[in-house]
RNA sequence: GGCGCCGUGGCCAAGUGGUAAGGCAGAGGACUGCAAAUCCUUUAUCCCCGGUUCGAAUCCGGGCGGCGCCUCCA
């Protein structure tokens, strides 16, 4: 099984192998921590997570680094608006991001460096670019990258570099540049920068690093001159990633990233996400509305990262239902199904094997999570059917195979693990429910259906759903 | 204007040459004291028009419609 990934650089599917196995070096452009990250951001970060888990499943030693942009126009403006220093302003958002990402079951990244911790390295980097004739200081005091000296510029983004797009905006600063496409490496200090403490010394005077530079310096610093995979949202392809290549290869002379992966932007209720539409939901907001992290993750993973995905509340409800079915299967395999050495064969082992094979084939096809998820749900249905046929009994090794397949698939999707972690119930409630269930069992034993239903209705009113099974009555919060 | 993506059942969404995955919702049925859970059955002339082919949702041409990036944005 070979993993194929769509490489934006070649614009085609390519078989992925690490350059230096077993190590895989992956870098993903991270959040700008000027506010709470929204559901669209998390589509991308869950795609990172999926890649992370798939690479790890291949047995590779994955080094996944994601940066935090904590110095740029937005963070500076935010800090100034809040009357605080840059670091005071960004710190909580960085922490909130890590919380959110953990809430959604994203496996920890190996490092999450912040730009402001590496300004010295960035200055050094600019110096090297300058030595190679790739950077120059303009009259406004800022230092720019000289695109005309880097012939390979534009390889990633294609013809977008021809400049005459008719829509390129030119702000006042651009007046000082040699070429409108030249981008800033070092920004000379302005009043606002000084106000929030976003000022560092450099050979070109006080200033702050340009946004593009941090990704080159942080990724190479953490992972080396050549990355196996560089990932980011589709909006970053140009100019951000194009600029990263120029800055990086301009200094190292080596390929910066072998594979470039870009995630498609999320739509919400059929519309583009925007603050004016009020549809930039945060994880926190969705949870306050009663939506579970597992359902959110299910929905965000239900379409392949490169395809359009429309996030709707109807879809989120549907995802919640799908997650419930997964939980029910898990419980059935662990608690309800009985192991009997002399049970008739159920075919569970064969189902497990083909499900995992289909699942992996889906993921190998450019992380096609839709296909992978379909394999999981085919397995769910067929396993339930097999257990129904066998009256809930199976040989121990067959049950074990089914449990193993479910766990194996979920180790990549990470949905069930989230759902199971969520289902913590407080003891008082559990005691209350279980006492009523005992009373109801007595009523049912005496065929007092009115009393039994009365109890169940009381529980339903509190959001408790009962399931009578051969092994007794079980309950869940729904 | 430049580059690119998409149009599949009520909704979401796989499938890129061999006769339509999966999820949600709906309908009928089995099971159940009734439910719940589960299972079974059921819902698609794949935007339109031409072309290539023994054969196309899949390839080519044209059209219509939706969208993204090019500007801070995951």
């Amino acid at each position: 099984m070979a993993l194929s990934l769509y490489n934006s650089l070649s614009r085609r599917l390519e078989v992925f192998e690490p350059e230096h196995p077993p190590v895989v070096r992956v870098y993903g452009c991270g959040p700008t921590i000027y506010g709470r990250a929204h559901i669209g951001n998390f589509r991308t970060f869950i795609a990172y997570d999926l890649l992370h888990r798939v690479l790890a499943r291949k047995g590779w030693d994955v080094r996944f680094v994601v940066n935090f942009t904590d110095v740029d126009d937005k963070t500076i403006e935010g800090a100034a608006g809040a009357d605080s220093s840059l670091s005071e302003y960004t710190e909580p958002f960085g922490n909130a991001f890590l919380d959110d990402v953990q809430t959604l079951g994203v496996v920890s990244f190996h490092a999450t460096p912040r730009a402001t911790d590496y300004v010295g390295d960035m200055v050094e980097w600019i110096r090297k670019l300058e030595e190679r004739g790739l950077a120059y200081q303009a009259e406004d005091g800022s230092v720019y990258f000289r695109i005309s000296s880097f012939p390979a510029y534009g390889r990633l983004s294609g013809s977008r570099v021809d400049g005459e797009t008719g829509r390129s905006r030119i702000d006042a600063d651009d007046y000082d540049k040699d070429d409108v496409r030249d981008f800033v490496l070092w920004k000379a200090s302005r009043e606002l920068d000084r106000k929030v403490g976003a000022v560092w010394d450099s050979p070109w005077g006080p200033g702050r690093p340009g946004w593009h530079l941090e990704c080159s310096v942080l990724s190479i610093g953490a992972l080396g001159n050549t990355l196996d995979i560089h990932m980011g949202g589709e909006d970053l392809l140009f100019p951000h990633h194009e600029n990263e290549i120029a800055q990086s290869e301009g200094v190292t002379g080596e390929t910066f990233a072998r594979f470039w992966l870009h995630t498609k932007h999320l739509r919400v209720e059929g519309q583009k996400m925007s603050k004016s539409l009020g549809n930039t939901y945060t994880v926190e907001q969705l949870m306050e509305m009663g939506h579970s992290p597992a359902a959110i993750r299910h929905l965000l993973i239900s379409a392949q990262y490169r395809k359009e995905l429309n996030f709707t509340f109807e879809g989120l409800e549907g995802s919640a239902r799908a997650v419930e079915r997964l939980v029910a299967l898990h419980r059935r395999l662990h608690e309800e199904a009985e192991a009997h050495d002399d049970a008739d064969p159920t075919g569970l082992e064969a189902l497990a094997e083909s499900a995992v094979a289909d699942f992996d084939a889906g993921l190998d096809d450019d992380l096609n999570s839709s296909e992978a998820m379909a394999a999981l749900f085919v397995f769910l249905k067929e396993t339930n059917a097999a257990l129904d046929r066998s009256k809930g009994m199976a040989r121990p090794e067959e049950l074990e195979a089914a449990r193993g397949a479910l766990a194996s698939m979920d180790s990549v999707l990470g949905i069930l693990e989230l759902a199971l972690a969520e289902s913590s119930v407080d003891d008082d409630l559990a005691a209350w429910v279980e006492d009523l269930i005992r009373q109801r069992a007595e009523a049912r034993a005496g065929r007092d259906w009115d009393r039994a239903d009365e109890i169940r209705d009381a529980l339903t009113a509190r959001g408790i759903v009962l399931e009578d099974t051969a092994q007794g009555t079980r309950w869940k919060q729904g």
Side-chain angles (χ1 to χ4, degrees):
Chain A
M1 294 187 302
L3 173 63
S4 291
L5 297 173
Y6 181 85
N7 190 347
S8 301
L9 201 53
S10 62
R11 301 191 189 194
R12 51 197 253 194
L13 235 44
E14 292 179 36
V15 172
F16 175 78
E17 286 290 336
E19 189 177 46
H20 302 294
V23 174
V24 187
R25 301 149 306 183
V26 192
Y27 181 84
C29 284
T32 300
I33 45 179
Y34 70 113
R36 206 66 193 255
H38 54 65
I39 196 67
N41 294 302
F42 291 114
R43 176 187 197 186
T44 292
F45 296 114
I46 284 180
Y48 288 5
D49 189 51
L50 192 68
L51 175 67
H52 193 167
R53 290 173 184 244
V54 167
L55 294 171
R57 185 178 180 80
K58 298 286 180 191
W60 290 319
D61 175 9
V62 190
R63 315 244 167 108
F64 207 124
V65 175
V66 172
N67 71 302
F68 280 9
T69 297
D70 61 354
V71 52
D72 77 323
D73 289 345
K74 293 191 296 293
T75 48
I76 289 168
E77 281 163 21
D83 232 10
S84 57
S85 74
L86 187 65
S87 58
E88 281 169 359
Y89 182 74
T90 58
E91 179 77 18
F93 293 124
N95 293 336
F97 176 80
L98 290 174
D99 288 347
D100 286 343
V101 117
Q102 190 173 34
T103 297
L104 293 177
V106 173
V107 172
S108 295
F109 299 114
H110 284 69
T112 49
R114 288 165 203 236
T116 54
D117 289 333
Y118 296 86
V119 176
D121 292 349
M122 291 191 241
V123 167
E124 198 48 43
W125 203 269
I126 299 170
R127 207 202 304 267
K128 287 179 191 163
L129 284 169
E130 207 174 34
E131 281 169 19
R132 288 163 175 71
L134 291 167
Y136 63 92
Q137 184 166 27
E139 281 181 30
D140 62 4
S142 293
V143 180
Y144 295 91
F145 185 93
R146 193 191 313 278
I147 282 173
S148 59
S149 302
F150 188 77
Y153 193 83
R155 225 175 49 223
L156 177 65
S157 53
S159 66
R160 292 179 191 192
V161 295
D162 292 340
E164 300 307 321
T165 63
R167 288 199 54 186
S168 45
R169 280 196 195 163
I170 299 172
D171 71 34
D173 286 350
D174 292 56
Y175 214 66
D176 298 318
K177 299 194 291 192
D178 289 359
D179 183 316
V180 288
R181 291 139 45 198
D182 287 353
F183 59 90
V184 71
L185 297 163
W186 187 259
K187 274 193 165 180
S189 278
R190 297 180 196 178
E191 182 57 40
L192 206 58
D193 301 334
R194 286 188 280 274
K195 184 185 172 196
V196 301
V199 182
W200 289 264
D201 284 328
S202 83
W204 313 280
R208 58 159 172 111
W211 170 52
H212 305 296
L213 188 58
E214 65 181 70
C215 286
S216 295
V217 172
L218 296 183
S219 62
I220 288 175
L223 298 166
N225 288 171
T226 300
L227 309 172
D228 286 301
I229 301 173
H230 190 125
M231 205 164 174
E234 60 176 337
D235 56 299
L236 299 180
L237 195 145
F238 183 84
H240 185 53
H241 289 161
E242 194 71 69
N243 293 349
E244 284 185 46
I245 292 173
Q247 292 162 346
S248 303
E249 300 187 0
V251 167
T252 68
E254 296 174 42
T255 298
F256 175 47
R258 300 171 57 234
F259 280 73
W260 287 88
L261 269 55
H262 291 96
T263 59
K264 187 104 175 154
H265 276 187
L266 185 70
R267 292 173 68 74
V268 172
E269 298 291 350
Q271 295 179 298
K272 180 176 169 147
M273 284 189 17
S274 75
K275 289 192 173 145
S276 58
L277 287 170
N279 60 5
T280 55
Y281 301 105
T282 64
V283 170
E284 192 175 39
Q285 284 174 328
L286 292 172
M287 287 178 71
E288 279 168 6
M289 292 180 210
H291 300 293
S292 75
I296 296 169
R297 186 173 169 106
H298 174 98
L299 184 53
L300 291 180
I301 229 168
S302 65
Q304 191 225 16
Y305 74 94
R306 217 150 50 75
K307 292 292 179 68
E308 187 172 279
L309 173 59
N310 186 12
F311 185 98
T312 66
F313 285 98
E314 189 187 349
L316 196 51
E317 300 289 345
S319 286
R321 273 287 302 144
V323 171
E324 277 179 37
R325 293 183 67 203
L326 284 175
V327 171
L329 177 67
H330 177 269
R331 194 164 66 181
R332 188 172 192 186
L333 288 172
H334 282 81
E335 298 169 19
E336 291 177 30
E338 285 187 57
H340 280 267
D341 285 319
D342 56 353
D344 290 333
T346 56
L348 245 37
E349 283 168 308
L351 286 178
E353 197 178 327
S354 73
V356 173
D358 289 348
F359 181 84
D360 281 324
L363 293 174
D364 278 346
D365 180 17
D366 197 22
L367 308 178
N368 192 333
S369 43
S370 293
E371 245 184 286
M373 203 119 81
L376 172 61
F377 279 89
V378 167
F379 170 75
L380 180 149
K381 175 174 282 198
E382 291 183 344
T383 298
N384 271 321
L387 288 173
D388 278 1
R389 280 194 298 274
S390 66
K391 306 275 196 285
M393 285 190 282
R395 295 179 185 179
E397 64 272 20
E398 291 191 307
L399 281 176
E400 193 46 47
R403 290 187 200 112
L406 183 59
S408 169
M409 291 186 272
D410 194 63
S411 72
V412 179
L413 298 180
I415 294 168
L416 187 54
E417 67 181 37
L418 263 187
L420 294 173
E422 283 164 20
S423 61
S424 58
V425 180
D426 73 86
D427 294 343
D428 287 348
L429 178 69
W432 178 73
V433 171
E434 275 153 27
D435 182 54
L436 284 178
I437 286 176
R438 260 190 299 279
Q439 293 181 36
R440 176 165 170 274
E442 285 172 24
R444 293 180 76 217
R447 305 186 70 80
D448 182 355
W449 308 127
D450 288 344
R451 174 64 184 147
D453 290 345
E454 189 184 309
I455 293 170
R456 187 171 58 197
D457 289 345
L459 288 164
T460 303
R462 293 281 296 269
I464 306 298
V465 178
L466 299 187
E467 291 174 23
D468 295 327
T469 74
Q471 286 75 35
T473 300
R474 38 177 71 270
W475 62 281
K476 65 182 179 186
Q477 270 183 303

